[in-house]
Structure formats: structure tokens, C-alpha cells
Amino acid sequence: MDYPTAVRKQRVTLIRGDGIGPEITAAVEEIFDAAAVPIEWEEHFAGLECLHRFGTPLPEETLEAIVRTRVALKGPTTTPIGGGHKSINVTIRKALDLFANVRPARSLPGVRTRFENVDLIVLRENIEDTYGGIEHWQTPDVVQQLRIITRPGSDAFLRFAFELARSQGRRRITCVHKANIHKMTDGLFRERFYTIAAEYPELHADDILIDNLCMQLVVRPEAFDVLVLPNLFGDIVSDLCAGLVGGLGVAPGGNIGHGRAVFEAVHGSAPDIAGKGIANPTALLLSAVQMLHFLSLHRHAQRIEEALRLTLAAGIRTRDLGGNASTREFTRAIISNLRPLDFAEEPTLPPAPEPAPQPVSSTPDAPWQLRGMDLFVRSPEGLPQLPEKLGKLQLVMISNRGTKVYPGITPPILLVDWYRCRYLAEEALTHAELAAALAELTAAGVEWMHVEKLHHVNGTALYSKAQGEE
Ligand code: NAI
């Protein structure tokens, strides 16, 4: 078909994936073809099937193709449990810095759920938090994980979230966190949210604790509009929201980075139904619709979503939604519900937002002063015996599993063999003085596992207090 000069075909990387992946990507291709969407697919490979064929689950060319075409539609890929290759999705997100995960959760006609009129967008930060996977065994009984929240990472994600909310004409944007407990990490995320919110006065910006949000979502989800969350909370809440509108079979998603994006359904490769011709293509189709908005092909996106809604409203559903249509029957029904294409029609939405350029790491406005250390000590015999003074440093507190056990009475808690011992100085320390203190402890036979340096800036301590510490 010939397109007007204004409508050029855009190249998009297509990854079919494993299990039901080939069946549902074929359904999307067929619908896009019938709808004359100006897209040219460029097929590349990833997944278990790819591993068997090419010896790698994620070839370099696939990543290069996504970078070159900027956009990919991806079918689900199988991740072996308890060994084998790493999750391909996580690898793609990290390799391409796809820092925002966008999951719309919108009620669909004919899909029976407890709620009607749900219309949420869940935006999850996609790189940081506990997903850095920085974990270390500290002693034979204790393993630790680092939770990383950064100012530039939060800013890039939150700015994208506000731009998206603005471009979609949303009214309310809600920051979800646990800053009452995670005072510094979630505290920073929340602080950046309100700083950026000041630039978007037309959006009502508020915040809510994650536990309260979960309760409210399962009671009155229609009260919320756009939710922004750090990675782990976002992972959980986006699945909860998928459940509110009909579950995995209808939950789409997009992973967005600086000028590039990978769109895929929330569900996996569904090996239990693969090859049977009964998979529901809705979630991948809605992901592809999201992709069309990203490519500013809004009219095409609206036209396809409308055909999908008409199909579901007519009671044509796949088995997972209580119907008996096969993938093919469902696909054909959607195609028959496409309204005639009218190229004269103007787009009704503004173009999808381009994320802001990569922010650079900020330097602190005031000099940081080294003022002490948290020394993590292994001591299977109980409270470690440590010198009260080490040069300028004074032992001020020891905690176990986050609860203060020294000075004062040790509370009746389960103690593990890993103690955090805090040394502080009244004045600034040099690195050499800190190293000398460590050397003294080492010579005294103290088995220390790791050290965190403690800093002050403008008289403010840049570290948290232990529970029970004044
Ligand atoms: P799954 O999402 O593949 O399946 C869970 C259940 O939902 C199954 O009963 C399945 O039949 C059903 N289901 C899922 N999508 C459906 C659809 N479109 N139509 C009809 N029914 C559908 O989750 P599971 O079984 O835990 O994972 C299977 C594999 O997929 C694993 O290797 C997992 O690592 C991988 N996975 C991949 C993802 C991705 O590539 N984005 C995401 C989640 C899991």
C-alpha cells in the first residue's frame, strides 16, 4: 500500500521469543498488516530457542538492532529457574538503560473483574533499588543486599514520568514509597519527586506509603491516576494493578530509555499452552499499541485499541478470559472490527514525550567531611570487645540486625554473628587517620567484614541512625 509522504514506514525490531511468543507476535503482525500500520519489522532473536539455535540467549546483533531502530516489540522469553542464563529482560533493560517501565492498567469491556473504570498508569523505575543485585555474604549466617537510589537516576525517571502524565492529559501523579522507614533512599526519591513536580503545576502531585496504597488499590482503584514507584515496589504494584483489570493475559508494558524503548507483555512464555493456538494476544497487542504512541502513530494506536475493545465487548474472548476463541479467531475478529482508515484525520494526542537528555552526576554543593565509620564485625561469641577510643574516633554505638545493643541494656532479641560498630569523631578526619584506626583494630584481631565511611555536610549527618539510637 502507498503511504502519503508524511507517513514514512518506521523500522522496528521484532523479537518473537519462546513458548507462545511466536503465536502472539504473529497475531500482532497480522493485525498491524491489516491496519496498514506504517511499520517495517526487522526480526532478531533472543531466548531459549535462540540459545539452542545460535549458542547464546541474547546475540549482540539483537542489542545493536534495538539501538539502531530505537524501538523493539518483544515476545516473552523463557528464563531457566535455579541456574542457566540470566533473565534476558533484565539484561536488555540494563544494557540499553531502559530506566522507566510503563504499565497502563485500564478496564477492558467484556473482561470480568471486581472493578470497572480502572484507568491507571504504573511507572516503575527500572534500573536501581535492589535490582543492582549487589549482595554479599557477610558471615556464614548473614547476607546483605545494597539498595541503591541515586539522584540522577531518580531525576531521569521522574522527569519522564511527569512528561508522560502531562502528554496524556492526566490530572494526578502519586509518588509511592516507604520513606517513613527508608528515610534516606525513599526519602531522596520522594524529595526529587516534589522538586520536579514544581515544574508541572497543572498536575496534582501527592505521595502515599506503599502499604496504604496497596490497601486503597484493592478497595477503590479508580481513585488513582498515575503512580510512580522505585523498582521493587513498582514490580509488585504493577502486577497488582494488572490483576485489577483482568490479569496477565491483558497486561501490557513498555521499557523506556533515552530515545529507545522495548515493548512487551507482562506475562511469560506460558509453556503450558504453547503451540496449542489458544494464547491470548491482547497483552502484546496493547504493548504494541503503547509502542505506536511512542512512535507518535497515535491514530493507528487508537484505531487498533478500538477494534480490540469492540471485539471483547462483543463477547469474543480467548479461554483465559472465559471465552472459547482460538488465537486465530480472536485475531480475525479484531481485524474485522477495524474501522476504515482515514488519513485525513489529525492526531488527537500530542507526540509521545522524548526523555530528557541523560543527566550527569551532580557534585555536592558543600564539601563532605569524613567524620567516622560503621565497621561491620563478625563476632560469633557475642558483643565484640572493641577499644572505646581509636585516635580521634570514639565508639558510640553497636547494633545487631539494625537494633542498638550497646551502650545500655542489650534488648532480648535474636542476635546474629554480625555487628555494626559505629565510631565517630568530633572533628573532620583524614583518610589516613581512618586507615590507621582500621590497622589498629586488625592488629587487635578484630574480624571486620566491611567498612562504611560516615560523612557530614554542613553539619548534617549523611547516614541513618540505628533503631533505638537517640
Ligand atoms: P507465564 O506468564 O508464562 O504463565 C502463567 C500462567 O498464565 C500460565 O498458566 C499461562 O498459561 C497463563 N498465560 C500467560 N500468558 C498468557 C496468554 N497470553 N494467554 C493465555 N494464558 C496466558 O508465567 P510462568 O509460567 O511463571 O513463566 C514461564 C516462563 O516465562 C518462565 O521461563 C519465566 O521466566 C518467563 N517469563 C518471561 C517474561 C518475559 O519474557 N517478559 C515475563 C515473565 C516470565
Side-chain angles (χ1 to χ4, degrees), residues 20 24 74-80 89 248-249 264-273 278-281 320:
I20 59 170
I24 56 176
K74 178 183 165 296
T77 44
T78 301
T79 310
N89 298 316
L248 285 178
E264 63 180 335
V266 171
H267 63 71
S269 54
D272 52 336
I273 58 164
I278 56 170
N280 184 355
D320 57 308

Side-chain angles (χ1 to χ4, degrees), residues 176-231:
V176 185
H177 60 86
K178 190 74 183 169
N180 55 335
I181 306 296
H182 303 156
K183 290 184 195 297
M184 305 194 104
T185 44
D186 280 339
L188 173 64
F189 186 78
R190 181 175 173 276
E191 184 261 308
R192 298 316 299 161
F193 172 83
Y194 280 116
T195 301
I196 292 171
E199 296 170 39
Y200 298 83
E202 77 277 23
L203 289 165
H204 173 77
D206 57 10
D207 71 290
I208 187 168
L209 291 174
I210 174 82
D211 35 351
N212 185 8
L213 172 84
C214 288
M215 187 275 290
Q216 293 204 32
L217 274 178
V218 297
V219 176
R220 45 183 196 105
E222 64 286 351
F224 294 95
D225 193 354
V226 178
L227 302 173
V228 298
L229 308 94
N231 207 339

Side-chain angles (χ1 to χ4, degrees), residues 41-60:
W41 301 109
E42 187 179 313
E43 188 173 353
H44 289 272
F45 302 93
L48 205 57
E49 192 56 38
C50 171
L51 176 68
H52 294 148
R53 280 178 66 187
F54 305 108
T56 166
L58 184 59
E60 274 293 311

